[in-house]
Amino acid sequence: MCSSPETSREHAPPQCFFPEAQEIGRDLRKNLVTVPSCDTHNSKKSKDDEFFRAVVLFTAVAANKVAKHQFMGKMMRAVARKPHAYSHFFKDEGTLADGTAHALRIERERFDTCIDHLVRAIFYDTYKQKWILPMFIVSPNFYSTIDNDRAVPHSPTYDAIRVSRQFLGQEAVRGENPDIFKYRVRYDEEAKMYAFAGIFYDFFEVYSASSPELTNAAI
Ligand SMILES: [Zn+2]
């Protein structure tokens, strides 16, 4: 997104989401999406990539075999190597009294930055141009807070998801390693509207949309 010359390629999503074939016994790195990057931004991203993966895996670990594999292997080895870094990713908010869930607080802004990069990279890969307007990002897998010992769903999120699903309704599901990541995109040139929906490990969902109208509404 900057104007520095391209010196490397960056994966979208980060390569660390995808197990290596020799570890899992099949090729789950088929035609990964990469986009041009400058050195500064690519190396700056590597810590965020680890945070991004940790948040998604903590949420999705029980959802499918690949998530469990990646959580127990690659991620737990990284936690053992640098427990300090990982303890900063999550603030423990305790277990709900009914025992149904354990709450971890994350730095949401940082997570949204990771999604922002991903969604712009996918746009570039799909439509061969840059998307520069702000992206709005929501996920039904996040809760707002805990109130009276209940996780409170973030209700504006559900409205945004309904609108995104409608807009993306007819679009094909993309992504050659769907156990790890699949997505739908749509760009309406007339309305200058771009929308994205992605699912990690069959479980963690994220929606993003952007248009001049949405930007103006936010201001
Ligand atoms: Zn750059």
Side-chain angles (χ1 to χ4, degrees), residues 2 4 38 41:
C2 73
S4 309
C38 73
H41 281 110

Side-chain angles (χ1 to χ4, degrees), residues 168-188:
L168 288 162
Q170 305 300 315
E171 300 302 320
V173 176
R174 302 166 188 244
E176 296 197 36
N177 308 280
D179 293 341
I180 296 142
F181 177 64
K182 52 186 175 245
Y183 62 99
R184 288 187 292 170
V185 283
R186 183 176 162 195
Y187 173 41
D188 183 328

